[in-house]
């Protein structure tokens, strides 16, 4: 038998007869959404990575206190990496008898390799984007430099021994470090002018940044090559290591994108399974005839799989094109929010979209199709001979394996995949049983109900296995939609809380103890409230339980970074806001020589409760016992500490105080007054970082909103097609009831009861599963605080009842008007 | 034109049914003028495609004619809406189909109870149990159609048709799906029940022997009575 030719012919006839419409739609949604989301998230991710690279002004940076060897730069050139350099140092500027400690940054011609600078000559509304720093002989300065030194734009400013003309005001600098030691207002100059300043002498405190840009493979290779050559004071910076506050936002966004993809694929998979089931049922007769005419079981199976493959490839091609357009539209919609250069769509993502579509098609469609293999040829004589359904293990096993692989692909975390997967599976099993139990109990109470209710319920009880699987299918769809919606809301809310409108935008440090009260009074006078002042004592961790820390740490770990420099130590009676004790307990009262360690550092240095840590503070040794491990949020723009000591431990050591506070743009002049009044205080302005951060979060929020709409749209479409795929039997039975005289009102009420109950039960089960999965997701995957989502318990049953009720009712509307004979004949 | 007598239960005038196809209008039935007396048994015979099934579906109010009128027990079916026709079916008509048309999810008993329940009768169960006993299926009350043989399913269908004590019973090839021995038993049962109920019987069949058992035979050819 020419199977392929026959498959094509049957496919053509079936599609003309409308037999494939639902399957085609379900598959189209799966492929379109998987292609669109894969393409979109891939492009967005690469765009975001590019953009976050702007925070470093490069793809990779080596920071060093001495110039790095020429051979390294040659190596980088050999690897076709573009290079730029900056040198940062502090210098006191004196103009018009005014003194100001400025942060000087000398940049090379190629700076910035990623991102751009913004300057203005008048006000902030007329900003210009610059792709290069100032030319030799000129300086670009922050506005505060001019006001503090009583200068106007165009006046010269002397850096060391070099006079530079202030030509522009610098308003944005991509790689402005949140580093506590580079906080003074900026003067940017050209690197060529640096020798003439005479500032750089052997032993000067200069921070060099050697920046590189290139292809990921070359960068990775260079990184591998250069790592062993680095000395203790040299570090490689990249976005995930260096800017944890951005890293976590991006990570969450990436995980959300991944979650959305899984959600849409699961929803579509459910629809494909239901549509294929309907397709199979409608092809039992044709199969019996083929079998009767001598087709072997495998021929029949090959014929239908062949049809599905052809259908899958054709639909995938269309879905890919639609997916491509959909993501293009998304990027067009997001044009104003995204950086000007958006990463190109990756062909691999298109390929992955098709592969996902085909895998999902086969994974969800194969088990129902296999049923056709078992059709007995005797069916041509006895139509009621239905083949045994495919083994439940096969049906659910295959679908679940695919979902498992997809979760693993997106989370790349085996433990989490297993946890999510097992939780979902266990819940489905329990709820399947629960749904079954509900049906059994309903059957018992049936005789006491009115005719409408009895007939409506009988619709559900007739084939309880099919009803349970329908309930589970709707439940999965509703769960997927609920997760998408809730996680998105909480993610955005979480970001909003993280950066409230008046988030601190300045740090003040080096406040000496005798200035603490006057500064606090000054803040109060200016209406700056709510700031907490922390003492800071510099100290180095040297031993853990008598073992030198250098022997404990691994190369390039957080622990290593923390141990080869001095840490800011503090002490406080109360646990700072945003800190949480994860192990041990906070000291209740004054208790000497105890220390609370930040969780990640503790993990990196393998510090446990009860360990004795030895610090060198101001040349003296200090031992403290670990009494708690804390988790904290680095992204709050508030002072955070790796080590917090119990009161009474550090008081005898000399220290200063640090605080963070919010100052609106129009009160910026207060900074000058503050610095004048308390010259020792150092002010760190983090407005720019905050602005950048807020912009990125806004973009992510928008992107996530669009994804949510997409997921919800897919969810509802699939819900509708899933209901449609269950209508055949209902239409037939309704026609039969009408033959015996059931009137339209009875049928309508009956259908409404049947579908609404189906949706209601699905909604209630969906609320239970969503709550459990949200708990797992928040605590394990997204590291967010879990709060019970009460609204889901009301919304899901209502949405389920309404959506399924209305759609089902609408789907069978014709049956009450079509002559019953037409339906009975067709059956 | 025949005149309507006081015992006439079905009267049609110029009854016709046509459908539009891509090759123009197809006339399935045309110019059917028919009177059936109450308690009469009528066989409708004819070749395949002659319009037999269409005629009984029109007479039973399962479908609507393109032309002409139908009066059932003096009431015009053609002037009724679907709910009106449904009510008429429920009150006056019983059906037996070639392919049984039992609801797969219901038991034999539930299938038989169905017409009475739709009518809102309270003692549906007793009546159904009694009638299933009459057709010899007392032991099969809780079986679903899948668990019954073809002959048994058709007996359930007969019980369902007569449980509501219909004035008219329509049977569309009632033995078409059965072997001759089982078919003969079913026909015996059908005529016995019909006699007991004094119902009017309208039967569509290919089987001349079966047709001969009826008081009158109507032949259809290409949609016309001959």
């Amino acid at each position: 038998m020419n199977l392929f030719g026959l498959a094509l012919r049957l496919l053509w006839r079936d599609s003309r007869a409308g037999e494939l419409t639902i399957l085609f739609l379900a598959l189209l949604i799966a492929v379109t959404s998987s292609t669109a989301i894969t393409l979109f998230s891939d492009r967005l991710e690469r765009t975001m990575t590019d953009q976050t690279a702007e925070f470093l002004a490069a793809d990779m940076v080596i920071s060093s206190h001495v110039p790095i060897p020429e051979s390294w730069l040659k190596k980088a050139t050999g690897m076709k990496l573009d290079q730029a350099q900056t040198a940062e140092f502090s210098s006191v500027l004196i103009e018009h008898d005014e003194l100001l400690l400025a942060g000087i940054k000398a940049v090379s011609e190629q700076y910035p390799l990623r991102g751009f600078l913004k300057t203005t000559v008048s006000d902030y509304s007329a900003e210009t984007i610059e792709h290069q720093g100032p030319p030799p002989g000129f300086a670009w300065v922050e506005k505060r430099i001019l006001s503090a030194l009583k200068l106007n734009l165009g006046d010269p400013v002397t850096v060391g021994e070099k006079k530079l003309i202030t030509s522009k005001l610098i308003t944005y600098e991509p790689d402005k470090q949140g580093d506590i030691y580079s906080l003074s207002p900026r003067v940017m100059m050209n690197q060529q002018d640096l020798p003439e300043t005479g500032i750089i002498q052997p032993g000067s405190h200069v921070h060099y940044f050697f920046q590189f840009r290139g292809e990921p493979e070359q960068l990775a290779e260079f990184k591998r090559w250069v790592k062993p050559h680095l000395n203790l004071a040299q570090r490689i910076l990249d976005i995930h290591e260096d800017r944890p506050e951005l890293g976590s936002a991006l990570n969450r966004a990436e995980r959300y994108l991944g979650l959305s993809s899984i959600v849409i694929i699961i929803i579509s998979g459910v629809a494909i399974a239901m549509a294929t089931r309907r397709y199979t049922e409608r092809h039992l007769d044709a199969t019996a005839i083929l079998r009767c005419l001598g087709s072997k079981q495998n021929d029949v199976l090959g014929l239908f799989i062949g049809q599905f493959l052809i259908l899958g490839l054709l639909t995938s091609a269309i879905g890919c094109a639609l997916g491509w357009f959909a993501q293009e539209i998304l990027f067009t919609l997001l044009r104003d929010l995204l950086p000007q250069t958006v990463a190109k769509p990756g062909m691999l993502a298109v390929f992955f979209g098709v592969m996902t579509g085909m895998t999902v098609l086969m994974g969800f469609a194969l088990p129902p199709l296999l049923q056709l293999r078992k059709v007995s040829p005797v069916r041509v004589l006895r139509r009621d001979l239905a083949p045994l359904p495919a083994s439940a293990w096969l049906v659910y096993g295959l679908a679940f394996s695919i979902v498992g692989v997809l979760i693993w692909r997106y989370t790349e975390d085996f433990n989490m995949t297993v946890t999510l997967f097992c939780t979902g599976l266990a819940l489905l099993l329990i709820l399947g049983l629960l749904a079954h139990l509900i049906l059994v109990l309903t059957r018992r109470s049936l005789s006491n109900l009115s005719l409408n209710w009895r007939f409506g319920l009988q619709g559900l009880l007739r084939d309880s296995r099919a009803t349970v699987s329908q309930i589970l299918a709707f439940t999965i769809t509703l769960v997927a939609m609920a997760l998408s919606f809730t996680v998105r809301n909480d993610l955005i809310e979480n970001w909003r809380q993280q950066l409230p409108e008046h988030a601190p935008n300045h740090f003040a440090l080096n406040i000496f103890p005798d200035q603490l009260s006057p500064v606090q009074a000054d803040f109060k006078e200016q209406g700056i409230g709510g700031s907490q002042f922390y003492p800071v004592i510099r100290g180095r961790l040297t031993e853990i339980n008598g073992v030198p820390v250098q022997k404990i740490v691994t190369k390039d770990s957080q622990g290593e970074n923390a141990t080869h420099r001095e840490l800011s130590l503090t002490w406080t009676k109360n646990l700072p806001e945003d800190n949480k004790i994860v192990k041990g307990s906070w000291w209740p009262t004054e208790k000497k020589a105890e220390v609370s360690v930040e969780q990640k550092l503790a993990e990196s240095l393998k510090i446990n409760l009860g360990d004795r840590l030895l610090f060198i503070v101001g040349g003296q040794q200090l031992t403290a016992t670990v009494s708690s491990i804390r988790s904290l949020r680095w992204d709050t723009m508030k002072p955070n500490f790796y080590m917090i000591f119990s009161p009474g431990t550090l008081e005898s050591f000399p220290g200063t105080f640090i605080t963070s506070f919010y100052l609106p743009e129009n009160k910026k002049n207060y900074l000058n007054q503050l610095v004048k009044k308390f010259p020792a205080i150092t002010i760190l302005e983090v407005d720019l970082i905050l602005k950048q951060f807020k912009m990125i979060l806004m973009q992510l929020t928008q992107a996530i909103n669009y994804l949510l709409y997409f997921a919800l749209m897919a969810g509802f479409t699939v819900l509708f097609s899933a209901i449609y795929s269950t209508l055949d039997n209902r239409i037939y039975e309704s026609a039969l009831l009408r033959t015996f005289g059931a009137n339209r009102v009875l049928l309508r009420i009956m259908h409404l009861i049947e579908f609404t109950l189906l949706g209601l039960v699905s909604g209630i089960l969906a609320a239970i599963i969503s709550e459990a999965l949200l708990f797992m997701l928040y605590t394990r995957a997204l590291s967010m605080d879990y709060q019970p989502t009460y609204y889901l318990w009301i919304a899901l049953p209502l949405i389920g009842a309404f959506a399924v009720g209305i759609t089902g009712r609408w789907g069978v509307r014709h049956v009450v008007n079509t002559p019953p004979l037409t339906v009975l004949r067709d059956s | 034109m025949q005149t309507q007598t006081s015992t006439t239960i079905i009267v049609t005038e110029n009854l016709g049914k046509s459908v539009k196809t891509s090759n123009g209008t197809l006339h399935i039935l045309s110019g059917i003028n028919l009177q059936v007396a109450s308690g009469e048994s009528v066989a409708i015979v004819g070749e395949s495609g002659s319009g037999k099934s269409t005629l009984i579906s029109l007479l039973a109010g399962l479908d609507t004619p393109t032309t002409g009128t139908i009066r059932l027990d003096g009431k015009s079916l053609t002037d009724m809406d679907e709910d009106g026709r449904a009510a008429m079916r429920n009150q006056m008509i019983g059906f037996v189909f070639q392919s049984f048309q039992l609801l797969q999810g219901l038991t034999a008993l539930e299938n038989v109870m169905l017409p009475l329940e739709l009518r809102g009768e309270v003692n549906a169960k007793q009546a159904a149990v009694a009638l299933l006993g009459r057709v010899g299926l007392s032991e099969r009350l809780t079986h679903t159609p899948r668990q019954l043989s073809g002959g048994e399913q058709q007996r359930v269908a007969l019980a369902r048709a007569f449980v509501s004590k219909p004035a008219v019973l329509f049977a569309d090839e009632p033995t078409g799906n059965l072997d001759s021995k089982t078919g003969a038993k079913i026909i015996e049962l059908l005529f016995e029940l019909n006699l007991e109920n004094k119902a009017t019987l309208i039967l569509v069949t290919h089987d001349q022997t079966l047709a001969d058992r009826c008081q009158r035979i109507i032949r259809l050819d290409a949609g016309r009575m001959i």
Side-chain angles (χ1 to χ4, degrees), chain A residues 384 451 454-455 458 462 732-733 736-744 746 816 819-821 824-825, chain B residues 53-54 57 62-63 81-83 86 89-90 95 97 101-103 105-106 114 117-118 146 148 153 160:
Chain A
D384 54 326
L451 193 69
R454 198 140 40 92
F455 276 24
Q458 251 164 6
R462 205 166 295 137
Y732 165 74
E733 290 186 358
L736 209 53
L737 284 176
R738 281 187 59 211
T739 306
F740 295 111
N743 63 28
R744 283 184 288 194
L746 172 74
V816 294
L821 193 77
L824 294 181
R825 270 200 190 139
Chain B
S53 295
T54 306
S57 72
L62 288 176
D63 203 354
D81 64 1
E82 170 51 33
D83 281 348
R89 286 197 296 268
N90 189 240
F95 290 97
F97 299 99
Q101 308 281 25
L102 298 177
L103 285 177
L106 300 187
L114 196 64
E117 287 189 305
L118 286 172
R146 281 187 214 288
L148 299 172
Q153 287 190 51
R160 182 179 63 182

Side-chain angles (χ1 to χ4, degrees), chain B residues 137-181:
Chain B
L137 290 177
S138 297
E139 308 298 314
R140 296 271 204 243
L141 299 185
T142 56
H143 289 210
T144 58
R146 281 187 214 288
Q147 297 165 316
L148 299 172
S149 70
E152 286 170 331
Q153 287 190 51
Q154 195 61 306
R155 276 197 260 175
V156 176
L158 280 179
R160 182 179 63 182
F162 284 105
V163 77
S164 56
K165 304 198 184 313
V168 188
L169 180 78
F170 289 96
D172 184 11
E173 303 271 16
T175 57
N177 275 4
L178 301 171
D179 61 79
S180 56
K181 201 170 158 191

